[in-house]
Amino acid sequence: MNSQLRRAVRTALVGAVGVCVLAACGGESKDKDPSGGASGPKTVTLVSHDSFAASDAVLKEFTARTGYTVKVLKSGDAGTALNKEILTKGSPQGDVFFGVDNTLLSRALDNDLFTPYEAKGLDQVAQEVQLDAGKHRVTPVDTGDICVNYDKKFFADKKLAPPRTFADLAKPEYKNMLVVENAATSSPGLGFLLGTIGEYGESGWQGYWNKLKDNGVKVVDGWEQAYNEEFSGSAGGKKAGADRPLVVSYASSPPVEVLYSEPQPAQAPTGVATGTCFRQIEFAGLLTGAKNEAGGKALLDFLISKKFQEDMPLNMFVNPVVEDAKLPELFTKHGAVVEKPETVAADTIAKNREQWVRSWSSLVVK
Amino acid sequence: MAGPVAFFAVFFAYPVAAIVGRGLHADGVWQFGRFGEVLGRPDIRDVLWFTTWQALASTALTLLIALPGAYVFARLDFPGKRLLRAVVTVPFVLPTVVVGTAFLALLGRGGLLDELWGIRLDTTVWAILLAHVFFNYAVVVRTVGGLWQQLDPRQEEAARVLGAGRLAAWRRVTLPALVPSVAAAALMVFLFTFTSFGVVQILGGPAFSTLEVEIYRQTAEFLDLPTAAVLTLVQFLAVGAVLAVHAWTVRRRESALRLVDPARTARRPHGAVQWLLLGGVLTTVVVLLLVPLAVLVERSFDTPAGYGFGYYRKLGTVDPSGGVFLVPPIDAVWNSLRYALAATAISVVVGGLAAAALTRRAGRLVRGFDALLMLPLGVSAVTVGFGFLITLDEPPLDLRASWILVPLAQALVGVPFVVRTMLPVLRAVDERLREAAAVLGASPLRAWREVDLPLVRRALAMAAGFAFAVSLGEFGATVFIARPDNPTLPVAVARLLGRPGELNYGQAMALSTILMVVCAVALLLLERVRDRSTSEEF
């Protein structure tokens, strides 16, 4: 390159830097940094998966109580978000991580992501969800059930009783009706697979899936597609002429259907097959190497405070873990009570997960 | 040259090398034994084979369908041409989740083909191939058309005068001139389809898997970095081989051409052949591109209370319970535009510099750099995203939570576009013009401004439009980079589709429609970028 051209390039580079700087100036930096605060950082950063949601009022409440402002970083789906934290161990992107569930818990604990902390108010949290009660590396925050949903209208028109249990799904009267998600790529898909393993045991689940396959189960890649394209009970499904009245979704989906309809119907258009559920428990923890440990601890306390717990259901569509937190009317009216959800021990999941998913793929997908 | 090299070193080579290195370097030793282990697995071999052949088939099909389109858009004048050219680029910006919806309406149960002939193509490989055509149609029309519209038609006419038949004249004069840009378009389509992710998953169903999907799963789901590293290197090798083939095809084919102002080359169609071509292209565009888009638009107006703007009105309000966003969903438009403008600026500057440097051909090193620029198109977003995470975490480059990371990642895809679109035109500029300008006392910068710029201005506008569209619709990098909650349009659409309820679905469709309109309008504005003076012919 001759020197003149080099000069031209340099000129252009200066211009480029200028553009970037200008763009940055036009960017947003709403960090209200209270100057002169010698009491450590005033912002606490919560890293989470994309589904995290909390109402503005509740986040403001936290700031009013503690003086810390919450900054939320969304980091992909649950598995991706956790793996990123494992990769950046010791130099975390935030102070608190929310969204490790029981299917991923062992991986998080084996990698020593979290600094133990016993959150204030843990005595109010149901014992059966405290999976790390000995060490308090993680704090349970919510539970949710992955269950088969059914299209009420379809079964009423057919004068057929909707299925209630795993065993029902394999019966001939429900042939070609069920759509499930890919267990390898979707968390409800994995949850449903684990539910069948909980029900039929490590020796029996493959036989059950063979029956499902013979009964015409359809596998699609993710929840969005299963629910919005294939399930006849959803708005998208109706428009697309979907013909599968059974889908793997959540126990909270029917109330959400009601919440997001105008005008709100008296009855949810969908129902839950309560004998087909797998229970997910979500945890939060203080990241090791957090820049603002005190703020992180305050945030963990807040996540299991009644205020936050009662705000959660309508934002993330999950159930509170604090025993005296009240469910909103929408949930008590349209939600399903799942008496006996399936569970599989966290370390059993950690040991076999990949193997199970592989066998499932070759059995059902190929 | 130094600028683009530094850009690629910091934002591409270093992060990718770091993440691959972490996968292959365990317990203080390099684990090259992993190669045999991973490549020996039959399922991995299947994935490799499928990835390669579907990419080749998609590329061939796209060229077959889109080349006539490139001709029609370059050489024929018809009413609404500019609008249509913007519209065919719209698919490019749509999130795959939405394209899946649109395509099922075309190919799936009760879809158009089902109604007409009772054909259902969903969950077949045809759905994947056609969707790839849908996405990449604009790539061919823009890269090839950008040059074609500036080729001097009189050269072909001269050949005709000298006694060549119509076909022979085209084959001897126009075709050789087009080879570089056709090769460039084919290369880009191949790289896009080779690393296809969402299309394969949504339209093919779980039975089909590509290398990209496998890398994503090994990295993001299982955190099996060694396997992911091996697969990434395999992807590198495959992409490298394709780049080598491309370089070999193009070398010595790029020659100085007579370029003229595009406004003078397009004519109203005359003769049966041209009318037939025009009709054929318009039909293809309508069926393959417009019908799926129209389905989305229709659904965005289809409220339970009849057709209306109900869902659009909802977009302007904050969900009282908190819900998906703390801001009205419509704010996503501004976020997207901001990112897209920044990404376009970075792409144009870095890509323009690189193209200028590559024009002055200087041996092997430069050619190597040319190929290097294309690599980001062939590397999976998850690799780059996770690479960022472990490398850009220390000052002065602690960018992990900085918003600038998103446009930077998007520019990695935008730059190759800019280079590929500008290079054929720049190389076609006759060196003697630059020399003449220099003799007359112009500084290199001035010569570039007076000689090259007028000729590449159109190509640059095309390229900028592309970089803009890439950024507007880009989903991969934005997902892998943790960001404060200011969703872009594709992210907002995906989030709305991710929850039950008729209002969410309707708003997702409305937001997708807005995304399409924003893209089309932005591209139309870019097409209007004209200098005061139209360059005289050289």
Side-chain angles (χ1 to χ4, degrees):
Chain A
M1 235 187 315
N2 61 32
S3 66
Q4 283 166 318
L5 185 76
R6 207 171 303 158
R7 201 164 44 217
V9 167
R10 202 167 19 206
T11 316
L13 252 185
V14 170
V17 171
V19 167
C20 291
V21 170
L22 276 181
C25 293
E28 77 289 9
S29 65
K30 294 198 195 79
D31 273 351
K32 287 185 276 299
D33 205 26
S35 48
S39 55
K42 277 287 160 207
T43 305
V44 59
T45 307
L46 175 74
V47 187
S48 178
H49 51 62
D50 286 342
S51 311
F52 177 84
S55 67
D56 210 17
V58 157
L59 295 178
K60 284 203 174 84
E61 168 84 10
F62 174 72
T63 308
R65 282 189 199 182
T66 63
Y68 296 110
T69 319
V70 184
K71 179 178 172 192
V72 178
L73 280 185
K74 296 195 174 181
S75 199
D77 64 43
T80 310
L82 174 67
N83 286 339
K84 284 183 181 176
E85 290 315 309
I86 293 171
L87 263 183
T88 56
K89 203 168 85 177
S91 159
Q93 304 193 78
D95 306 308
V96 172
F97 182 80
F98 165 82
V100 190
D101 70 8
N102 47 327
T103 64
L104 296 163
L105 183 62
S106 297
R107 188 187 300 173
L109 297 182
D110 293 347
N111 279 288
D112 292 328
L113 276 188
F114 301 117
T115 304
Y117 171 66
E118 188 174 351
K120 289 188 188 71
L122 204 59
D123 53 324
Q124 297 296 312
V125 172
Q127 279 300 320
E128 69 265 21
V129 298
Q130 296 196 34
L131 300 189
D132 194 39
K135 295 188 177 167
H136 300 300
R137 287 164 296 182
V138 290
T139 307
V141 177
D142 67 71
T143 66
D145 293 312
I146 292 165
C147 317
V148 169
N149 282 206
Y150 60 87
D151 174 3
K152 282 182 180 169
K153 186 174 176 308
F154 177 94
F155 288 101
D157 291 350
K158 272 224 148 179
K159 300 200 171 43
L160 178 67
R164 289 211 310 272
T165 60
F166 283 114
D168 286 351
L169 296 174
K171 288 181 179 161
E173 57 260 46
Y174 304 114
K175 196 170 176 63
N176 297 336
M177 286 190 187
L178 175 66
V179 57
V180 304
E181 296 86 0
N182 186 351
T185 52
S186 142
S187 77
L190 177 69
F192 184 69
L193 169 62
L194 292 173
T196 62
I197 293 170
E199 171 86 14
Y200 294 98
E202 288 185 49
S203 53
W205 68 269
Q206 297 194 346
Y208 172 73
W209 275 94
N210 270 327
K211 282 194 215 148
L212 276 189
K213 209 175 150 179
D214 293 341
N215 213 24
V217 67
K218 180 170 187 175
V219 183
V220 297
D221 204 60
W223 181 91
E224 287 82 359
Q225 212 186 337
Y227 200 87
N228 292 321
E229 304 284 353
E230 301 289 342
F231 176 50
S232 60
S234 71
K238 282 191 193 76
K239 287 176 185 171
D243 56 3
R244 300 224 162 215
L246 299 173
V247 65
V248 170
S249 187
Y250 295 86
S252 60
S253 301
V256 182
E257 279 284 350
V258 174
L259 178 65
Y260 288 104
S261 301
E262 262 181 7
Q264 291 196 359
Q267 281 288 329
T270 55
V272 175
T274 49
T276 60
C277 297
F278 174 79
R279 172 142 302 179
Q280 267 184 311
I281 307 164
E282 280 196 298
F283 302 87
L286 182 64
L287 286 162
T288 303
K291 290 190 184 71
N292 182 359
E293 211 164 269
K297 286 174 178 171
L299 185 57
L300 283 174
D301 296 344
F302 186 70
L303 289 179
I304 56 169
S305 70
K306 204 168 154 186
K307 184 91 190 167
F308 185 85
Q309 290 279 314
E310 290 188 344
D311 179 67
M312 261 182 346
L314 283 178
N315 282 293
M316 288 195 267
F317 317 121
V318 290
N319 294 311
V321 291
V322 171
E323 277 159 344
D324 64 347
K326 275 204 230 14
L327 268 177
E329 192 198 348
L330 185 84
F331 276 70
T332 49
K333 199 168 149 198
H334 301 286
V337 179
V338 179
E339 293 292 350
K340 281 210 207 67
E342 293 295 341
T343 51
V344 179
D347 50 351
T348 317
I349 296 175
K351 268 207 295 286
N352 302 302
R353 177 187 167 134
E354 208 167 328
Q355 184 49 46
W356 283 340
V357 169
R358 264 189 220 289
S359 339
W360 177 87
S361 291
S362 53
L363 182 79
V364 183
V365 173
K366 295 287 181 278
Chain B
M1 187 96 181
V5 170
F7 174 82
F8 269 82
V10 174
F11 296 112
F12 179 70
Y14 172 46
V16 171
I19 192 92
V20 170
R22 193 179 281 207
L24 289 179
H25 193 85
D27 316 319
V29 276
W30 289 96
Q31 310 270 348
F32 289 121
R34 301 299 304 245
F35 272 89
E37 199 179 312
V38 173
L39 296 178
R41 280 171 37 191
D43 57 329
I44 296 283
R45 280 212 297 270
D46 285 350
V47 164
L48 263 174
W49 166 238
F50 174 71
T51 307
T52 312
W53 86 252
Q54 67 80 24
L56 286 171
S58 299
T59 309
L61 195 64
T62 307
L63 286 176
L64 190 74
I65 293 179
L67 277 177
Y71 168 80
V72 165
F73 279 106
R75 284 292 200 214
L76 300 183
D77 244 340
F78 51 93
K81 171 169 142 176
R82 210 177 265 165
L83 178 68
L84 203 59
R85 185 157 45 197
V87 169
V88 298
T89 314
V90 164
F92 208 79
V93 308
L94 287 177
T96 5
V97 182
V98 181
V99 173
T101 300
F103 250 76
L104 286 171
L106 180 69
L107 307 172
R109 175 195 46 252
L112 191 72
L113 293 182
D114 198 10
E115 298 284 313
L116 289 176
W117 300 296
I119 307 173
R120 280 189 58 180
L121 293 174
D122 55 327
T123 67
T124 66
V125 82
W126 281 106
I128 297 175
L129 298 185
L130 284 172
H132 282 159
V133 176
F134 172 82
F135 269 115
N136 295 309
Y137 189 87
V139 177
V140 178
V141 168
R142 285 183 169 253
T143 359
V144 179
L147 182 69
W148 206 337
Q149 66 183 4
Q150 288 185 267
L151 288 181
D152 193 342
R154 282 173 304 183
Q155 293 187 320
E156 207 178 300
E157 284 157 18
R160 298 280 310 278
V161 171
L162 293 172
R166 181 182 290 240
L167 198 66
W170 187 81
R171 210 167 46 91
R172 294 274 178 83
V173 177
T174 309
L175 189 63
L178 286 177
V179 163
S181 63
V182 173
L187 173 71
M188 280 198 289
V189 175
F190 180 87
L191 291 179
F192 271 120
T193 52
F194 188 78
T195 57
S196 181
F197 184 89
V199 169
V200 176
Q201 291 294 286
I202 289 176
L203 289 166
F208 297 103
S209 177
T210 58
L211 202 52
E212 181 88 3
V213 174
E214 205 54 41
I215 291 174
Y216 168 78
R217 282 183 48 198
Q218 297 299 345
T219 310
E221 305 275 327
F222 300 133
L223 203 60
D224 181 350
L225 292 181
T227 305
V230 170
L231 294 177
T232 303
L233 287 175
V234 168
Q235 208 179 24
F236 257 143
L237 288 176
V239 171
V242 172
L243 288 173
V245 170
H246 170 258
W248 177 76
T249 319
V250 174
R251 194 172 309 165
R252 298 200 184 79
R253 291 292 184 96
E254 280 171 340
S255 50
L257 304 167
R258 290 177 61 86
L259 296 183
V260 293
D261 181 21
R264 300 217 330 268
T265 62
R267 306 196 177 148
R268 295 199 57 81
H270 57 271
V273 177
Q274 292 198 340
W275 279 106
L276 205 67
L277 262 176
L278 179 62
V281 165
L282 291 181
T283 312
T284 314
V285 167
V286 167
V287 171
L288 197 68
L289 280 79
L290 298 190
V291 167
L293 298 179
V295 168
L296 298 178
V297 177
E298 187 266 334
R299 287 188 189 176
S300 73
F301 289 107
D302 183 13
T303 66
Y307 284 100
F309 281 93
Y311 295 137
Y312 289 85
R313 269 197 295 276
K314 263 272 172 243
L315 288 176
T317 57
V318 181
D319 189 340
S321 66
V324 200
F325 316 104
L326 295 175
V327 292
I330 201 79
D331 280 12
V333 175
W334 308 121
N335 293 329
S336 269
L337 282 176
R338 205 167 41 216
Y339 281 139
L341 282 173
T344 308
I346 298 169
S347 304
V348 167
V349 171
V350 177
L353 287 174
L358 289 171
T359 315
R360 317 277 194 279
R361 257 175 287 192
R364 201 164 295 231
L365 188 73
V366 168
R367 272 206 302 274
F369 178 60
D370 186 4
L372 204 68
L373 282 175
M374 300 302 290
L375 274 180
L377 292 185
V379 174
S380 70
V382 65
T383 307
V384 177
F386 275 50
F388 275 180
L389 206 64
I390 59 171
T391 51
L392 304 179
D393 60 342
E394 288 159 20
L397 281 172
D398 187 6
L399 297 173
R400 284 187 311 186
S402 158
W403 72 277
I404 192 77
L405 205 50
V406 174
L408 279 171
Q410 292 169 345
L412 282 178
V413 181
V415 169
F417 265 120
V418 174
V419 174
R420 284 277 78 85
T421 319
M422 287 178 69
L423 212 50
V425 179
L426 274 178
R427 283 190 178 156
V429 174
D430 198 332
E431 187 60 34
R432 283 169 307 179
L433 287 172
R434 298 188 188 113
E435 286 160 6
V439 168
L440 294 172
S443 66
L445 196 61
R446 175 91 195 269
W448 151 259
R449 209 181 65 209
E450 301 288 345
V451 176
D452 296 44
L453 191 62
L455 288 169
V456 297
R457 206 176 48 230
R458 295 303 293 272
L460 188 63
M462 282 263 186
F466 243 147
F468 192 87
V470 166
S471 164
L472 212 54
E474 201 277 334
F475 193 67
T478 16
V479 170
F480 293 119
I481 294 166
R483 68 234 163 263
D485 200 15
N486 41 3
T488 58
L489 276 167
V491 171
V493 169
R495 244 187 251 175
L496 284 163
L497 281 176
R499 18 179 70 196
E502 163 258 316
L503 277 179
N504 289 321
Y505 184 83
Q507 286 185 74
M509 293 297 130
L511 216 46
S512 303
T513 307
I514 290 175
L515 176 60
M516 291 187 234
V517 172
V518 167
C519 170
V521 168
L523 291 171
L524 278 175
L525 287 176
L526 273 166
E527 297 237 333
R528 288 199 173 277
V529 172
R530 282 280 183 76
D531 223 300
R532 316 162 300 292
S533 60
T534 325
S535 57
E536 273 311 308
E537 170 214 347
F538 293 99

